[in-house]
Amino acid sequence: MTAQDNDRLDDGWRMVLTPAGQCATPADAARLDGFLPATVPGTVAGALETAGRFDRAAPIPLQDRDAWYFLDFPVTEQGAFTLRFEGLATVADVYLDDAAILSCESMFEAHDVEVQLFGGERLAIHFRALTPFLEAAGPRARWRPQMMDMQGLRLQRTTLLGHMPGWCPSVQAVGPWRPIRLLPKVEGRIDDLQIRSTLSQDGVGFLSVSLRIDGEPAAPMLGCAGQHAAMQRDGEGRWHAQLDLPGIAPWWPHSHGAPILHDISLTVDGVAKTLGRTGFRRIAIDHGADGSDFSLSVNGVPVFCRGAVWTSADVVRLSGERESYRPLLALAVEAGMNMIRIGGTMVYETRAFFDLCDEMGLLVWQDFMFANFDYPVKDAAFRAHVETEASQLLGRLQGAPSLAVLCGGSEIHQQAAMMGLPERFWTGPLTDEILPGIAAALRPDVPYVANSPDGGALPFQPNAGIAHYYGVGAYCRSLEDARRADIRFAAECLAFANVPRQEALDRHLPVPPVHHPLWKARVPRDNAASWDFEDIREHYLHLLYGVDPVRLRREDPARYLDFSRAVTGEVMEATFAEWRRTGSSCHGALVWTLQDLLPGPGWGVIDATGAPKPAWFALKRAFRPLQLLLTDEGTNGLDIHLVNERADQVELRLDIACLRSGTQPVVRGSRDLRLEGRSAQKIAATDLFGAFFDTTYAYRFGPPAHDVTVASLTDAQGVLIAEAFHFPQGRMAALHDATIEASLTRDEAGWRLDLSADRFAQSVHVAIDGYLPGDDWFHLAPGRVRSLRLMPLGDTDPAALPSGEIGQLGGKRIVRL
């Protein structure tokens, strides 16, 4: 389906809530008082929030009431039209005047209705209370997941957002959440567009396009990348053409190359139209010789996929607009992420989301919206909804090069297996027959996987196939478990209650941390668990720093928050260093989650206001395409790993020093080297020293000689590319109260902050009013000036002198600008 935004019926809507079943007809509802202006696309919660009658932090139930939406057409609107409803949540009836024209039972389906308008009609939509449908009996389930608030959700095609206590606010999706369009019947209107773009192993792009055109046009001409072909009409009235494009510039994820897109044009009766853009790429999954591996390659190049799981740009309004997606996806790219996963507990995002991912070079792992439940696919009506939903989704995503993986759903196999059911219960026609069949027919260029997680003796074990890995994290394993678990690909991992920057807390959650009820309400937790994800963060705070978090937060709450901000980023950096090292079994990992749904210590690495948290900066360092890593190999010493994901070779200088008291080099070494494109190499640290030195303090011959090892990678001009650190005695032994010097300089690119320290400084943090620093919560090595670009936020005057503070984890002294 295609349409222009000027066909959207966005304005003039009004909405009223009623008790369930109060009004039988649109005429009954129209006589009521209390109507509110409503935005379409939008939700009941959004309309109420705009009117000041809904608080997303303490939401009122919406699924136990009816909602009525009305729109009056102007008297000038006359003729034959198609009314297109792109998404109604969830059980709804549509009326033109008092005549019923549509019944909807799925939030995830679009509907076209042919209508004749004579002018002045009224469009009404009745969204029925969902609770009676959720409470209705259905086919017996073989298992019952604990994380959902109502088991009847398995029978309804609606989002699980708002129904997972402890995971997200109970904001229930009701209303016309996707656009409603009025499409006139005109000659030459293009519809039912299908685009397929692929790239062969020898670099030839193939573009196949088919469509329908209203009327009887002359043969249209398809064009792309300077090539053209006349379209042919088949016996069913569809037009088809294929272009072969040798040597076409391919599309790459931004971490590995340029995400090049090509315009697709169509000339009909001498009039040029655009069909959008596409990219040419080849995506494959390598399962390895034993079938247990999971490695994604793009254009024949293995790609280490890293990123995060998407939640929602706005959990109240469920916005699908480009401007709501752009800031969050831009931050994902800036952090070096190259993959976003849309999980089965969320909603399908619009084509605007994928257009941005196409442009930005972000791969998308798309779950179908099935999670945890035993779905009744033997029911013919339910199966029909599944087929329509999946077909329409993939129809909307024709030609999108960012779509990289299609997945049958989330934790269905795991849920059954963890309840002790045998393997024959894990799988079934939903994920093994229906969804893969539709995927193969509509997007054969995209690999399909049955479920996430999946593979191995049990689907949730991480040493085969796709994992949801929480060994480091929820299961409180040591950092070494990241290697021991032998992970192949983690479709989600590393969930923590990530603390936002202080200015966000001061503005949006100004309460004492941890035990204040408002704070605790924002901490994510698994339903019915005796712990939450703040407990997990505190476990690693004690593990990495040796401090008692309970005593620290009682005696020094501000310092407790600083340690809390630092520790989750440190765990993430250390874990990804393990997974990206030379010889690792891991080929990708996605953090749970990208963004928070409410302000506070949520799972997201971006807070609910759209600002990066300290953990985001840690991932930005961990995800560099040109990367330097250190791994502790015990009695084998310290290994240095160099990674270059780009195609071009680079000339680099590697320096390493072991520091006593954070300042005195005990031993140091350096090497000039060339790193080929798409390559990685490992160097033993002692190779740079020229003699034995106990870098890991594994042999313990006498007292430790150093407390931190600092390695740096610079380019031919001496510009710092990457740094890595190792703490042989733990981080607390290297927690020094450094003297930090700071200076501001303004050049043609804006403001630059230069920092230096007299000794090693841990987790240096920068708070500049109205600016986002290029890095934050980073370690500062002595003897080097670290330059940070300051990026103005919002309406900040870039000419005004910035002011703010610089702190560090090792001391309470504040440097003020």
Side-chain angles (χ1 to χ4, degrees), residues 119 266 318 362 385 389 467 490 530 532 575 683 743 760 764 797:
L266 187 73
L318 298 179
L362 278 168
H385 284 306
E389 167 187 326
S530 61
D532 62 27
T575 304
I683 303 170
S743 64
F760 179 71
V764 174
D797 179 5

Side-chain angles (χ1 to χ4, degrees), residues 443-769:
R443 285 302 302 259
D445 59 311
V446 180
Y448 173 87
V449 296
N451 207 238
S452 180
D454 192 33
L458 291 170
F460 50 83
Q461 291 180 335
N463 63 351
I466 304 159
H468 288 184
Y469 174 71
Y470 294 109
V472 175
Y475 306 146
C476 295
R477 304 290 292 178
S478 68
L479 299 190
E480 289 75 18
D481 191 71
R483 181 180 299 195
R484 189 179 299 116
D486 194 23
I487 296 163
R488 310 307 173 90
F489 193 105
E492 59 187 64
C493 62
L494 298 176
F496 298 99
N498 292 304
V499 179
R501 302 174 75 183
Q502 190 59 43
E503 49 266 43
L505 293 180
D506 290 343
R507 179 174 295 185
H508 299 286
L509 193 62
V511 299
V514 180
H515 282 300
H516 193 284
L518 291 179
W519 176 281
K520 209 62 177 175
R522 307 292 174 87
V523 176
R525 63 188 58 81
D526 284 330
N527 197 23
S530 61
W531 51 270
D532 62 27
F533 282 84
E534 192 143 55
D535 297 322
I536 303 306
R537 186 188 69 232
E538 291 188 348
H539 168 83
Y540 287 96
L541 197 160
H542 177 71
L543 183 68
L544 267 63
Y545 295 100
V547 299
D548 179 357
V550 175
R551 181 173 180 177
L552 183 63
R553 71 172 180 247
R554 182 174 65 241
E555 297 179 354
D556 195 341
R559 189 161 171 77
Y560 166 82
L561 287 177
D562 280 347
F563 270 100
S564 296
R565 293 183 180 102
V567 68
T568 59
E570 288 290 291
V571 172
M572 290 178 184
E573 276 199 83
T575 304
F576 273 99
E578 172 57 45
W579 289 339
R580 294 188 69 192
R581 66 176 173 85
T582 308
S584 170
S585 64
C586 183
H587 306 293
L590 309 177
V591 170
W592 182 271
T593 62
L594 181 66
Q595 72 274 48
D596 283 344
L597 300 176
L598 291 174
W603 280 315
V605 297
I606 301 172
D607 72 26
T609 72
K613 294 183 182 180
W616 178 89
F617 289 95
L619 292 181
K620 184 179 179 181
R621 295 187 291 271
F623 291 167
R624 290 177 289 226
L626 186 55
Q627 182 66 307
L628 167 67
L629 307 166
L630 296 177
T631 59
D632 187 331
E633 304 299 329
T635 53
N636 289 320
L638 198 63
D639 277 350
I640 303 168
H641 303 266
L642 304 172
V643 179
N644 180 18
E645 295 178 328
R646 299 289 190 175
D648 298 332
Q649 70 175 22
V650 288
E651 304 287 338
L652 300 166
R653 180 178 177 84
L654 173 64
D655 291 282
I656 187 168
C658 299
L659 306 181
R660 178 186 293 127
S661 302
T663 182
Q664 178 63 42
V666 179
V667 64
R668 66 193 326 164
S670 63
R671 177 180 294 180
D672 294 322
L673 52 87
R674 174 181 298 163
L675 194 56
E676 300 296 330
R678 316 275 196 229
S679 73
Q681 61 179 270
K682 179 177 70 174
I683 303 170
T686 52
D687 286 354
L688 275 69
F689 302 147
F692 168 73
F693 180 76
D694 191 4
T695 51
T696 58
Y697 193 53
Y699 293 91
R700 303 183 184 275
F701 296 153
H706 67 298
D707 51 50
V708 62
T709 297
V710 179
S712 63
L713 200 62
T714 53
D715 65 14
Q717 289 72 44
V719 176
L720 182 66
I721 302 297
E723 285 182 304
F725 307 91
H726 177 254
F727 304 92
Q729 306 172 61
R731 286 164 176 77
M732 204 63 181
L735 203 62
H736 304 294
D737 186 5
T739 299
I740 297 176
E741 300 288 339
S743 64
L744 281 168
T745 304
R746 188 165 184 251
D747 56 26
E748 64 278 1
W751 289 100
R752 188 185 75 237
L753 176 64
D754 292 334
L755 299 174
S756 61
D758 67 334
R759 65 193 62 243
F760 179 71
Q762 281 195 58
S763 299
V764 174
H765 39 280
V766 178
I768 307 294
D769 296 337

Side-chain angles (χ1 to χ4, degrees), residues 143 147 167 341 367 370-373 409-416 451-453 468 470 492 592:
W143 66 84
M147 62 184 282
W167 279 42
R341 176 180 167 220
D367 283 9
F370 300 94
N372 296 83
F373 283 113
S410 175
E411 297 191 350
I412 299 173
H413 295 182
Q414 171 177 303
Q415 190 77 57
N451 207 238
S452 180
H468 288 184
Y470 294 109
E492 59 187 64
W592 182 271

Side-chain angles (χ1 to χ4, degrees), residues 208-275:
S208 176
V209 175
S210 68
L211 47 83
R212 294 185 184 276
I213 305 177
D214 286 349
E216 297 293 330
M221 187 70 67
L222 177 69
C224 182
Q227 302 293 320
H228 297 83
M231 303 191 79
Q232 304 295 320
R233 196 173 190 179
D234 64 19
E236 297 180 352
R238 293 187 63 83
W239 294 93
H240 302 262
Q242 178 174 303
L243 289 174
D244 297 353
L245 305 167
I248 193 75
W251 184 94
W252 289 95
H254 75 94
S255 56
H256 287 66
I260 296 175
L261 299 173
H262 303 269
D263 294 327
I264 306 173
S265 65
L266 187 73
T267 303
V268 183
D269 292 335
V271 178
K273 304 172 182 276
T274 180
L275 298 181

Side-chain angles (χ1 to χ4, degrees), residues 10 77 86 161 304 396 404 468 515 572 734 776 791:
D10 289 357
E77 205 72 83
E86 296 187 5
L161 282 173
F304 185 91
R396 291 195 301 272
H468 288 184
H515 282 300
M572 290 178 184
D776 205 4
M791 295 162 282

Side-chain angles (χ1 to χ4, degrees), residues 780-800:
L780 183 60
R784 176 186 294 278
V785 175
R786 181 71 189 278
S787 294
L788 304 178
R789 184 61 63 182
L790 300 182
M791 295 162 282
L793 301 172
D795 56 358
T796 299
D797 179 5

